[in-house]
Amino acid sequence: MTSGDSSRRPVTGKNTEWMIPSDQMIIRRYKPLRHFAGTLENGFRAGQAEGYEEREGQASEPAREHEKQRSERTESMILNNGEEMDLASGIEQAREAARENYYASCWRLGTDEDPEIWEAYADGRGVAIETTYRQIEEFIAPDQEDLYMGIVRYLDYEEEFTPTGIPYVLYFYKHRTFDSEQEFRVLTNRGGNPIIRTDGQEMPPESRPDNPSHVNLSADMDALINRVILSLGADDELRAEVEETLDEHGVSAPVVPSRLDDPAPHHETYDTELGGAANYEASEGYLDDLIDRFVEETDWDVWNTVDVIQLNQREKLHPRTVFVECFRYVDDLPDRSEYGQEHLNYEVRAHRVVDGEYQDTFLNDPAEETDEELAEADNPSE
């Protein structure tokens, strides 16, 4: 399955409000040890949005205010039941009710580690299941159709606009207080979307679904899992239990220590980070600083190549909506045309640095076309 394969799962689409990373992006699921065996046995838990933070699946304040202003134009209309139309309240009510139908499985993008993430999501004694985006798309719930995946973008809900169209789009946005999570999300639906009442009346209790608090997403664990990372400060007892659990479930992935304890085993693969999801000021300087930091922190005695990938929707080249993927390699460099998602027409600008020296930049066709259009706009007489 390649990035140019039009038969790939429709976990997102062209010109959607959210994006997916390149196939090579490393993604991890942090788990307490007590839940590790259950995950291998039953699949990845996806929690009901109703049990998450109150803004999950909800529009931001500016977006809601815009809806109210539009709704005011129809308030004089009288419906068949004699009530005045109140479209804004109906939309708000439907979004809130939809939280009982949507389930999210939450992952972390990249290989950088944070002690606070280990503590919060692995209870300080657990594992991180490591895979890539391509493998998640291919091996998690492969027969399930109502599955959406994407990078979570962080917003200031008091100042910025969220989309207000398709309900599930809102689950790929979170409040900025969570931006340290660097979340990738797998989203599923049980029960569709609630009907929008236009009369402002409450939905009857019998219309609410009797959905469980979570669902499990099946997976081919041996094909999905590349490595299992032990939590910070793990001892031999923890390693032995993890290795035994993997063996019992037929998973052949190696077990390695946290890079915060021992970085050496992590040089046997490649490093990844993702930035841009929290560029609240829509600043080019923010993106430049992110790239400069990644390059400057590279140990060139270990790594010999850094690829920095700028991804954006076609013809939407703006600092607030650009994602930056950073990769470090020892060898086995990918062809830069493999970055991005060709079937979604993302623009890809792939910069390569070798032994600390900038080499060149690869642009895919959509990026070249945009750059040509921008150049013509800057020099209309040429």
Side-chain angles (χ1 to χ4, degrees):
M1 186 168 65
T2 67
S3 63
D5 184 358
S6 61
S7 66
R8 289 178 63 154
R9 296 176 73 180
V11 297
T12 186
K14 294 180 181 178
N15 302 315
T16 54
E17 300 284 354
W18 79 97
M19 296 176 66
I20 55 177
S22 295
D23 286 349
Q24 302 90 334
M25 175 56 62
I26 292 175
I27 301 177
R28 292 175 174 176
R29 178 67 183 263
Y30 286 72
K31 302 288 295 185
L33 181 62
R34 65 181 181 276
H35 295 316
F36 183 48
T39 297
L40 298 182
E41 181 71 28
N42 302 313
F44 292 96
R45 179 188 175 106
Q48 188 181 39
E50 177 67 21
Y52 287 172
E53 198 262 342
E54 63 181 1
R55 285 167 292 218
E56 284 280 356
Q58 305 304 295
S60 64
E61 287 298 326
R64 292 165 64 188
E65 184 60 33
H66 181 65
E67 286 179 340
K68 290 176 182 177
Q69 292 174 2
R70 294 179 60 187
S71 179
E72 287 173 357
R73 304 172 192 169
T74 64
E75 284 183 351
S76 61
M77 298 179 63
I78 304 300
L79 302 173
N80 291 338
N81 63 359
E83 298 288 345
E84 291 184 354
M85 180 176 283
D86 186 354
L87 185 57
S89 294
I91 293 173
E92 189 87 7
Q93 185 178 184
R95 277 198 296 256
E96 180 63 33
R99 284 162 52 91
E100 298 184 26
N101 294 352
Y102 281 99
Y103 295 81
S105 176
C106 307
W107 302 62
R108 179 172 167 83
L109 290 147
T111 55
D112 59 310
E113 295 185 30
D114 183 337
E116 292 184 1
I117 295 295
W118 276 118
E119 186 63 35
Y121 297 101
D123 285 353
R125 183 174 174 79
V127 298
I129 295 170
E130 184 175 280
T131 185
T132 64
Y133 170 71
R134 184 197 66 80
Q135 290 165 284
I136 288 178
E137 182 185 306
E138 187 170 359
F139 297 119
I140 287 187
D143 299 323
Q144 190 168 319
E145 295 182 359
D146 59 338
L147 211 63
Y148 310 98
M149 301 180 187
I151 303 166
V152 170
R153 193 182 298 279
Y154 300 93
L155 299 178
D156 185 331
Y157 270 59
E158 288 69 45
E159 300 292 337
E160 296 185 87
F161 279 84
T162 52
T164 56
I166 304 172
Y168 56 76
V169 172
L170 289 166
Y171 291 94
F172 293 95
Y173 292 84
K174 292 183 73 170
H175 193 273
R176 63 184 299 169
T177 55
F178 298 95
D179 62 18
S180 64
E181 295 174 343
Q182 287 284 42
E183 186 177 338
F184 173 86
R185 178 165 283 190
V186 180
L187 186 73
T188 188
N189 179 282
R190 296 290 189 273
N193 293 306
I195 295 174
I196 298 175
R197 294 200 61 150
T198 58
D199 57 8
Q201 300 300 302
E202 293 287 334
M203 290 184 179
E206 60 269 19
S207 70
R208 302 182 72 89
D210 184 21
N211 282 339
S213 62
H214 73 277
V215 297
N216 291 320
L217 302 176
S218 64
D220 181 339
M221 294 296 178
D222 193 42
L224 176 76
I225 301 174
N226 294 331
R227 299 192 305 173
V228 175
I229 318 301
L230 298 175
S231 56
L232 183 62
D235 53 23
D236 291 342
E237 181 181 351
L238 176 60
R239 172 185 284 273
E241 186 170 347
V242 170
E243 290 177 339
E244 181 179 348
T245 302
L246 288 170
D247 186 60
E248 288 175 352
H249 291 86
V251 178
S252 57
V255 178
V256 299
S258 163
R259 69 186 307 123
L260 300 177
D261 287 329
D262 183 4
H266 298 269
H267 302 156
E268 298 172 7
T269 175
Y270 58 95
D271 265 3
T272 67
E273 286 188 27
L274 184 135
N279 188 3
Y280 306 113
E281 304 301 324
S283 165
E284 291 185 7
Y286 170 93
L287 299 176
D288 290 340
D289 289 346
L290 186 155
I291 294 169
D292 290 344
R293 176 191 59 78
F294 189 84
V295 173
E296 290 169 2
E297 291 180 356
T298 299
D299 183 347
W300 296 105
D301 291 331
V302 174
W303 311 99
N304 61 35
T305 302
V306 165
D307 281 349
V308 175
I309 317 303
Q310 293 175 253
L311 295 180
N312 60 274
Q313 299 278 15
R314 189 165 190 169
E315 299 180 348
K316 294 183 179 179
L317 182 58
H318 187 275
R320 186 62 175 106
T321 55
V322 168
F323 286 113
V324 175
E325 299 177 334
C326 299
F327 297 83
R328 291 189 183 102
Y329 298 99
V330 174
D331 49 29
D332 297 329
L333 306 182
D335 188 309
R336 281 176 285 177
S337 64
E338 297 175 6
Y339 290 118
Q341 296 294 345
E342 184 179 348
H343 67 295
L344 297 175
N345 286 342
Y346 290 171
E347 293 182 12
V348 176
R349 295 167 176 82
H351 315 286
R352 178 158 286 176
V353 179
V354 178
D355 291 330
E357 298 293 330
Y358 168 76
Q359 298 296 299
D360 56 14
T361 297
F362 164 84
L363 278 68
N364 70 351
D365 290 343
E368 282 191 350
E369 291 170 8
T370 292
D371 282 11
E372 289 172 0
E373 292 171 2
L374 292 173
E376 290 175 1
D378 290 339
N379 301 282
S381 61
E382 293 185 4

